[in-house]
Amino acid sequence: MKKVLVLGATSAIAQSTVRLLAARGASLYLVGRNATNLDAVAKDAATRGAAKVEQQALDLNDTAAHEALVERATQALGGLDGALIAHGVLGDQKACERSWVDAEQVLRTNFLSAASLLTVLANRFEAQKAGTLVVISSVAGDRGRQSNYVYGASKGALNVFLQGLRNRLAPSGVAVVTVKPGFVDTPMTAHLPKNKLFASPDKVARGILRAADGRKNEVYVPGIWALIMLIIRSIPEGIFKRLKL
Amino acid sequence: MSDAFQSWGRFPRAARQAAHPIVWQTDRLPATSGTLLPYGQGRSYGDSCLNEGGTLLTTATLDRLLGFDAATGVVRCEAGVTLDTLLRLAVPRGWFLPVTPGTKFVSVGGAIANDVHGKNHHRAGTFGRYVRRFELLRSDGSRRVCSPEENPDWYEATVGGLGLTGLILWAEVQLRPIHNPFVLTETVPLENLDAFFAVSRESEPDHEFTVAWVDSLARGRKVGRGLFYRGNFAPPQFDGLPLAKSHLSHGSGLAVPFDMPGFSLNRLSVAAFNALYYRANVLKRGQRLQHYDPFFYPLDAVQGWNRIYGRDGFLQFQCVVPHATARAAIQEILERSAREVPSFLNVLKTFGGVPSPGWLSFPRPGVTLALDFANRGERTWRLVAELDRITREAGGAVYPAKDARMSAESFATYFPQLERFKAYVDPAFSSSFWRRVTVAPAVQPAALPLQEGAPLPAVPLRSSL
């Protein structure tokens, strides 16, 4: 990935990935909601060696703006050969249970806006018969649990969407990489008590680039989550529904 | 509340402090009824980076590089960026830190707040002299860009201001050019303290970097026996070396994985280490070319080296004594330590007369000595209190960033601009250190001026262990 569009560039995982891409001398088009914070990330990337950094402040829930956004990014970088979809919200499960407005917000940001962006990007990458789409999903999408099933559903839907897209784009040589991080120590999880399973954004970022370079299909980062989720998925539903997970 | 944020000396322990990560320059400071204190990499040794009962504003996530001008060597970055990150950026482009402490794992904000010094103080002065500008966020929400020209009083209060004047958001630092990442160093054996003064005097005009390691158990006429290191950045004839590949992460595989049992550091092992160190290094006398990393940061090669002191941690004591009284005071400090509580590592250097802009800056003309003591409770505290007294009587000062024990009386004596500084302390900011050294002696037993042999009140100090 040499010319990369980064959606949700101010997220902790995206920032770490941007640093690694910048150190490789990639050209970057960064998108985030807060212009001031985005500016700091852009300066950081430029100082660390990115060949070119362009930025645009945008609320990605505005799906009507996606087509123009991708066009602008392509123009600015003189083409696109990679995209990282890293924006998302954790949401408050309890609030989502009480109110559809809250639940819809999580589904809208994590699934609908990502699906919209992927539609635009997929058509372009398919036409140019090259490119890598990297999407940050979550282990939470592997099985619905009472503690965060709205967030989990948004990521689960995203995973299925990506599977189909991968299937569709395989003949055109476009890679679709689903990244499933476990717990990551970021501002999104600042309120949660930390344990040994929490990985640093830097570690996750290295896993993301490894997966992108290797044009992998679905990866768990860190790898231990493949085993953990295998076990979680294997628990029969009759037992699972009585667990407090 | 967590035990995760401690000082490098791990003494005193602060058990009840909350952490609030600062992620963006646009963040607001948290509303709390308690006090706030910026916390970077926790490389201060005592309690100046602790805020028992309050909140730490952690800056590890405020770590973006904001710009670097390869032509002028000016770097701009957020306050949580470490010197290590700056070196990775600057060295391949032919620049180096103007002043560096003995570890590269400190944040830029911390380097400013403690106005750190290095082996080139006799020539360059302190880190603060090279900080062109920074932005300070106060708890009332106000933001000030500070420099020698803009808000100069805030600038001078904050350089060396121990993080008490507000939160530094970003800073601009002037780097110095280098031809390559190598230092031409020379090791000169020292017989005693007189030799140190002679070699120091002779070395300073021609050497940018000078420092001495001193055998901590040498006594009598041998006090001051050690090794003098002096060096300069290597000249341009080494320019053929590939700069881009010059960042060497030496020793990154070494780490202390757990607390060493407390008994592993005793008089015998300290003596053995010091004797071995002398023999091993005296053989390396003469000139050699060395990569900057092991020259400036020998201890960084062992991650978490502070854990060799065990769970009870250690105390570092660093003082500076004016030239006029240095000979006698340094001799007395070294002898008392050798006799009562052996120090693991002794470092001796002369400070020059280059003034710092900081009101509370520690370096001043004279001789500086740093000692490391495993924390053995009262015996250690009593000795350190005595060393504080000797320093005070010699007209010197103790370094707040290395301190866990100085008295309030000493602090006021060491920093004559203290009253002026107090007006610039943010009303919401405080630290364990600040409360310890500014409360009235009658309220805080730990701050009582100590007489030799006087029993030390142990209870209030122990309670935090």
Side-chain angles (χ1 to χ4, degrees):
Chain A
M1 298 198 292
K2 288 263 175 253
K3 298 172 176 178
V4 190
L5 170 64
V6 181
L7 291 319
T10 53
S11 83
I13 295 174
Q15 275 191 78
S16 292
T17 313
V18 161
R19 283 182 180 175
L20 296 176
L21 287 167
R24 292 179 176 188
S27 296
L28 302 164
Y29 194 91
L30 309 179
V31 183
R33 249 184 320 184
N34 182 309
T36 316
N37 297 351
L38 185 64
D39 191 50
V41 176
K43 286 192 167 120
D44 185 60
T47 310
R48 286 172 196 263
K52 184 171 196 179
V53 185
E54 297 280 339
Q55 70 213 69
Q56 184 181 341
L58 184 71
D59 184 343
L60 291 169
N61 285 322
D62 180 8
T63 51
H66 288 177
E67 188 78 55
L69 168 71
V70 175
E71 175 58 28
R72 241 174 102 174
T74 310
Q75 293 293 332
L77 302 187
L80 273 189
D81 63 2
L84 172 67
I85 295 188
H87 68 287
V89 290
L90 191 53
D92 176 340
Q93 171 64 26
K94 287 284 168 235
C96 289
E97 288 169 19
R98 282 192 301 268
S99 148
W100 170 246
V101 176
D102 287 67
E104 189 184 16
Q105 193 59 45
V106 171
L107 293 167
R108 192 173 282 283
T109 303
N110 293 351
F111 177 58
L112 294 179
S113 80
S116 162
L117 284 162
L118 285 165
T119 301
V120 177
L121 288 163
N123 290 338
R124 286 179 174 249
F125 282 20
E126 189 178 40
Q128 71 190 24
K129 293 198 180 304
T132 306
L133 293 167
V134 185
V135 184
I136 299 180
S137 182
S138 169
V139 295
D142 279 14
R143 191 159 195 181
R145 296 174 295 127
Q146 51 94 24
S147 58
N148 73 344
Y149 63 81
V150 177
Y151 175 79
S154 70
K155 294 298 193 180
L158 185 58
N159 292 345
V160 175
F161 190 94
L162 290 166
Q163 278 171 6
L165 200 61
R166 183 176 304 120
N167 194 187
R168 172 191 148 196
L169 295 178
S172 20
V174 177
V176 177
V177 185
T178 306
V179 181
K180 296 178 177 176
F183 300 137
V184 189
D185 189 357
T186 69
M188 198 199 240
T189 59
H191 59 289
L192 301 175
K194 302 292 178 293
N195 58 43
K196 293 249 186 248
L197 278 174
F198 273 84
S200 72
D202 287 339
K203 184 168 187 185
V204 172
R206 287 194 297 274
I208 289 171
L209 278 199
R210 216 168 22 245
D213 291 343
R215 299 169 65 83
K216 294 279 191 280
N217 301 317
E218 286 199 346
V219 291
Y220 290 88
V221 284
I224 182 74
W225 284 92
L227 180 64
I228 296 170
M229 295 319 292
L230 177 68
I231 295 165
I232 296 216
R233 282 197 312 269
S234 312
I235 302 171
E237 191 68 9
I239 297 170
F240 196 83
K241 72 178 181 188
R242 274 175 259 150
L243 297 179
K244 279 271 173 202
L245 279 169
Chain B
M1 301 288 156
S2 90
D3 201 32
F5 297 95
Q6 296 297 340
S7 71
W8 191 243
R10 308 203 304 162
F11 173 83
R13 291 230 156 211
R16 299 173 303 113
Q17 50 187 3
H20 177 93
I22 301 293
V23 185
W24 302 102
Q25 294 171 50
T26 50
D27 284 359
R28 288 170 186 215
L29 298 184
T32 164
S33 55
T35 59
L36 306 172
L37 182 73
Y39 182 98
Q41 295 292 315
R43 247 57 181 195
S44 295
Y45 287 70
D47 50 2
S48 65
C49 64
L50 300 178
N51 193 14
E52 178 77 46
T55 300
L56 296 174
L57 305 169
T58 60
T59 61
T61 42
L62 190 69
D63 67 340
R64 295 166 198 94
L65 295 169
L66 303 173
F68 176 64
D69 184 336
T72 61
V74 175
V75 65
R76 182 165 164 159
C77 63
E78 290 179 341
V81 166
T82 63
L83 298 189
D84 180 48
T85 300
L86 290 189
L87 289 169
R88 283 170 194 272
L89 171 75
V91 171
R93 294 164 174 84
W95 295 91
F96 201 79
L97 297 165
V99 165
T100 178
T103 170
K104 60 188 173 178
F105 299 121
V106 300
S107 66
V108 168
I112 297 171
N114 293 291
D115 198 14
V116 297
H117 59 270
K119 296 176 174 65
N120 58 351
H121 185 274
H122 60 281
R123 191 169 292 185
T126 63
F127 188 84
R129 293 190 70 241
Y130 302 89
V131 177
R132 291 161 44 113
R133 309 163 76 209
F134 56 79
E135 186 172 0
L136 190 67
L137 171 63
R138 298 268 292 179
S139 62
D140 61 7
S142 66
R143 289 160 190 261
R144 284 178 184 79
V145 174
C146 310
S147 73
E149 294 82 31
E150 311 151 88
N151 299 303
D153 51 339
W154 289 96
Y155 178 83
E156 290 160 20
T158 303
V159 170
L162 302 169
L164 296 163
T165 60
L167 177 72
I168 299 172
L169 295 171
W170 56 263
E172 229 174 68
V173 181
Q174 174 68 60
L175 303 178
R176 54 150 294 165
I178 50 171
H179 299 292
N180 54 61
F182 296 91
V183 185
L184 198 56
T185 68
E186 191 181 354
T187 306
V188 184
L190 301 173
E191 271 175 50
N192 52 33
L193 216 46
D194 290 325
F196 165 77
F197 284 102
V199 176
S200 221
R201 216 172 10 253
E202 161 208 317
S203 304
E204 284 177 3
D206 300 325
H207 297 87
E208 179 171 1
F209 306 106
T210 62
V211 70
W213 167 85
V214 169
D215 186 338
S216 62
L217 288 170
R219 292 200 200 176
R221 279 181 307 160
K222 284 190 177 160
V223 166
R225 182 177 87 130
L227 300 162
F228 194 93
Y229 300 103
R230 57 191 185 191
N232 288 305
F233 269 109
Q237 61 255 41
F238 295 100
D239 268 354
L241 294 166
L243 277 180
K245 289 181 182 166
S246 60
H247 195 89
L248 195 107
S249 53
H250 80 286
S252 50
L254 268 177
V256 179
F258 51 81
D259 296 347
M260 304 272 272
F263 58 80
S264 63
L265 272 187
N266 52 34
R267 180 170 286 272
L268 207 64
S269 59
V270 169
F273 167 79
N274 278 266
L276 270 173
Y277 185 89
Y278 183 77
R279 285 212 195 116
N281 285 281
V282 82
L283 297 174
K284 295 181 190 162
R285 75 173 78 194
Q287 278 204 340
R288 64 192 174 123
L289 202 60
Q290 207 179 0
H291 188 272
Y292 78 80
D293 212 325
F295 178 72
F296 288 112
Y297 313 111
L299 286 171
D300 284 349
V302 186
Q303 276 176 49
W305 63 263
N306 54 339
R307 302 177 83 171
I308 65 166
Y309 289 96
R311 237 199 79 80
D312 292 337
F314 70 108
L315 282 75
Q316 188 163 90
F317 173 83
Q318 184 171 358
C319 63
V320 55
V321 185
H323 292 292
T325 50
R327 179 70 182 74
I330 299 291
Q331 169 111 19
E332 191 182 352
I333 289 172
L334 285 172
E335 282 195 334
R336 287 201 66 145
S337 152
R339 202 166 60 229
E340 293 170 27
V341 184
S343 149
F344 190 64
L345 201 63
N346 293 352
V347 177
L348 195 56
K349 149 150 194 73
T350 52
F351 279 159
V354 185
S356 164
W359 297 339
L360 250 51
S361 189
F362 160 71
R364 58 202 71 186
V367 180
T368 181
L369 172 66
L371 311 164
D372 275 353
F373 302 106
N375 177 22
R376 295 280 179 272
E378 268 193 56
R379 200 157 58 97
T380 313
W381 309 337
R382 197 191 310 273
L383 173 70
V384 172
E386 270 297 291
L387 304 187
D388 178 37
R389 182 188 60 77
I390 296 167
T391 305
R392 197 172 63 231
E393 286 172 4
V398 169
Y399 192 6
K402 303 274 182 85
D403 178 68
R405 300 290 308 159
M406 75 166 86
S407 69
E409 181 199 2
S410 293
F411 184 65
T413 312
Y414 297 153
F415 299 97
Q417 304 211 64
L418 179 60
E419 284 310 311
R420 185 182 182 197
F421 173 76
K422 279 181 180 171
Y424 290 80
V425 173
D426 189 298
F429 280 46
S430 185
S431 67
S432 296
F433 172 86
W434 184 243
R435 291 186 290 276
R436 182 166 63 79
V437 298
T438 54
V439 289
V443 185
Q444 178 87 337
L448 278 172
L450 283 157
Q451 304 297 317
E452 191 176 358
L456 203 91
V459 178
L461 293 157
R462 271 290 181 196
S463 66
S464 62
L465 287 172

